[in-house]
Amino acid sequence: MLTKKENIQTQMILYTLEDLVPEDSLYRKIDKYIDFNFIYDEVKDLYCVNNGRPCIDPVVLFKLVFIQALDGLKSMRKTCEKIKVDAEYRWFLKIPFGESTPHYSTFSQNYIRRFKDSDVFEKIFVNIVEQAIKYKLVKGDTFFTDSTHKKANANKNKFHEEIQYTVKKRREWLEEEINEERRKQGKKEFKYKDEEEEKKVKISDTDEESGYYHRENKEKGFMYLDHRTVDSKCNIIVDCYITKGNVHDATPFIERAEYIKNKFGFQAKRWALDSGYDTLDIKKYLHDNKIFGVIGYRRYQKGETQISKRRFEYKKEIDSYICPETGIILAYKGRIDRQGYKIYSEKENCKNCPEIKRCCKKQGYRIIRRHIKEELNEEFRNNRISKEGKELYKLRKEKIERSFADSKQNHGYRYAMYKGVKKNQNYTWLICAAQNMKNIVTKITKGSKDNNGNKEDLSNLIIKIKILLISQKIFKKITNLRFFSKVCQYSEEVIIIDNYFLLWLSRFFSLYSNKLIISQLMKYFIVKKYIL
């Protein structure tokens, strides 16, 4: 039967905002479990106490950004347009339908006039992390760090090139060890000095603070980089640091690791990084702080030799390498270069070697270079290939990579909506705070739902278990009956059963299609051993 919808736009509805918002709304959960009152204390010094016009509630201002981030809206203009008609947004902002909503420029003007030069954005992010710690969603000893790019608000074809001069960062601790080794060998110390590097860089005509990002198999263009660290327990973001797109991943790592340590008091025990962080400085930092570090394998350029360095056996007692083909000893004779590489060679013994063409084509004898801190490299290689290291590194895709994917897919993180490092950093604090809020309430409500359950489902489950206990056919197939205890009803919602019975019950249900029962059993029941 063909039906035609009548015009009902003028129908009067007697509902409150409370009635219109679903019980399982994300914004209800955030309002319940996240405390926003701390924002008043953070911004009170930015407002006049006894003069001027009444302002918009500062919590409402920041909630506008949180709404934009949580639903991945592309602009504040679009966000404010949706707030006018969206009951869920109005309920979260505590703005009834009879009142007007903030103009889209309101937050921008407050940012320019009040918040721009303050650290309120960082404080909001830190407070949300502290609330996650309060809910015991942060473990604080295992972290995952990586970087991802955000496309800058700039045309990649409009740029000019500049020559920039920078002073190369020195490793003074390594220079001291190299000179100490030279003193032992009775040789003259190296004199190190600051070296100036000349580099041609692309500068965007649209956003001068963005950096030109170019990596193998990645999109090229002007970008910003988010150097992010997440905790292993619930993927709570504990740091998000914005740099230009042409900054190497490893450059800010040590500074940010110290920031996390000092800000939250975490004592890191394990840290997983990809191959971009394979630097001597980072390895030394992790080693000195007794952190089990796992760094991804980095493929270095191969030399012309067909017999690799790894095939030579290193003897620490005599500080020499042994040739795998002839057994010739390549001894260290005190030569060490400015970069810290010790030279191992034996020119006379290599002359009559039958493998000389495969081993050393040009110089006629084999030279092996071993870094003075090679033991540090070997330590992290052993970490990477160990069972614990493999399991830890495997979690990267479930932790840090998932965090980035969530940001880009659901929270509008693919593009930088603003220009400048500082402004992007401020908004990144808020976006990551919003992502943490969603993560917090999702974990809390999921656990709460699992613990409370549904009484009707629970009663049905109890009946099914009692039927199994009565069934003689089941017990005849079990040989170890002494581990079974009675299944007694402890209250309306809780049953106490024996550990061994739970184990047997899980095996029994695995033979049948209805595996939901055992999953519910694990959620609804308290397991307790009885002494039979």
Side-chain angles (χ1 to χ4, degrees), residues 145-148 171 199 211-215 224-228 241-256 273-282 295 298 300:
T145 298
D146 202 356
S147 72
T148 191
R171 296 171 175 165
K199 191 176 182 181
Y212 191 78
Y213 180 88
H214 57 94
R215 296 184 185 179
Y224 288 97
L225 285 180
D226 173 16
H227 304 266
R228 180 179 297 188
Y241 182 66
I242 299 297
T243 64
K244 296 182 177 182
N246 54 7
V247 175
H248 194 275
D249 289 355
T251 303
F253 173 78
I254 296 177
E255 177 187 346
R256 302 315 298 176
L273 308 161
D274 70 3
S275 59
Y277 297 84
D278 188 9
T279 67
L280 204 59
D281 291 317
I282 291 177
I295 302 176
R298 187 172 182 179
Y300 292 93

Side-chain angles (χ1 to χ4, degrees), residues 361-481:
K361 292 183 177 180
K362 289 185 177 180
Q363 67 271 22
Y365 63 98
R366 183 60 184 260
I367 296 177
I368 293 180
R369 300 166 73 238
R370 177 183 174 86
H371 200 272
I372 194 172
K373 301 297 290 184
E374 188 67 24
E375 291 182 358
L376 200 58
N377 294 328
E378 292 173 353
E379 174 189 338
F380 280 84
R381 179 180 178 274
N382 292 333
N383 288 353
R384 175 173 54 82
I385 64 178
S386 67
K387 183 179 179 181
E388 181 183 0
K390 289 179 180 179
E391 292 175 353
L392 182 62
Y393 193 78
K394 190 177 180 180
L395 290 173
R396 281 188 70 258
K397 62 178 180 291
E398 302 175 16
K399 302 299 180 180
I400 185 68
E401 299 294 352
R402 179 176 289 180
S403 179
F404 285 142
D406 187 27
S407 296
K408 293 189 175 185
Q409 190 70 17
N410 301 322
H411 303 295
Y413 210 69
R414 296 185 186 277
Y415 303 94
M417 294 177 286
Y418 306 97
K419 298 175 182 177
V421 173
K422 185 175 181 180
K423 195 168 186 178
N424 272 287
Q425 176 67 77
N426 289 336
Y427 277 91
T428 298
W429 289 126
L430 297 184
I431 293 172
C432 290
Q435 189 172 340
N436 279 344
M437 289 178 202
K438 184 185 76 171
N439 208 348
I440 290 169
V441 300
T442 300
K443 296 295 188 298
I444 293 174
T445 54
K446 182 179 179 181
S448 176
K449 183 178 179 181
D450 290 345
N451 291 331
N452 294 332
N454 186 291
K455 290 187 178 182
E456 184 177 351
D457 294 340
L458 184 60
S459 61
N460 293 334
L461 184 61
I462 294 170
I463 294 172
K464 291 176 182 179
I465 294 173
K466 288 182 177 181
I467 292 172
L468 285 174
L469 286 172
I470 297 170
S471 175
Q472 296 296 326
K473 294 181 180 179
I474 297 174
F475 287 104
K476 287 179 181 178
K477 297 180 181 180
I478 307 302
T479 58
N480 202 350
L481 296 178

Side-chain angles (χ1 to χ4, degrees), residues 193-230:
K193 59 181 180 180
D194 293 336
E195 297 180 6
E196 193 175 59
E197 288 183 318
E198 179 182 315
K199 191 176 182 181
K200 183 186 287 187
V201 296
K202 294 180 180 180
I203 306 296
S204 171
D205 295 335
T206 311
D207 185 359
E208 294 184 353
E209 292 189 35
S210 62
Y212 191 78
Y213 180 88
H214 57 94
R215 296 184 185 179
E216 189 176 357
N217 301 323
K218 296 284 185 74
E219 183 180 4
K220 295 180 175 62
F222 290 100
M223 311 277 184
Y224 288 97
L225 285 180
D226 173 16
H227 304 266
R228 180 179 297 188
T229 301
V230 301

Side-chain angles (χ1 to χ4, degrees), residues 255-294:
E255 177 187 346
R256 302 315 298 176
E258 285 295 303
Y259 170 86
I260 294 169
K261 178 181 177 180
N262 297 331
K263 183 66 68 174
F264 302 108
F266 295 144
Q267 296 296 326
K269 296 179 181 178
R270 305 195 304 170
W271 216 305
L273 308 161
D274 70 3
S275 59
Y277 297 84
D278 188 9
T279 67
L280 204 59
D281 291 317
I282 291 177
K283 290 176 181 177
K284 183 178 184 297
Y285 174 82
L286 297 176
H287 175 80
D288 292 346
N289 287 274
K290 299 179 180 179
I291 300 173
F292 180 84
V294 179

Side-chain angles (χ1 to χ4, degrees), residues 46-109:
L46 304 175
Y47 289 84
C48 183
V49 179
N50 53 12
N51 193 15
R53 294 186 301 171
C55 69
I56 294 178
D57 189 333
V59 172
V60 172
L61 287 178
F62 286 103
K63 280 185 176 181
L64 292 175
V65 184
F66 294 148
I67 290 173
Q68 181 183 355
L70 286 167
D71 284 354
L73 303 176
K74 293 184 177 180
S75 65
M76 184 58 71
R77 185 190 295 254
K78 185 68 175 178
T79 304
C80 291
E81 287 177 0
K82 293 198 71 174
I83 289 171
K84 292 179 181 178
V85 297
D86 196 301
E88 193 176 33
Y89 292 165
R90 281 181 172 269
W91 182 91
F92 184 59
L93 296 172
K94 295 179 173 58
I95 301 176
F97 277 107
E99 294 184 12
S100 60
T101 57
H103 192 263
Y104 65 84
S105 65
T106 302
F107 186 84
S108 299
Q109 292 302 318

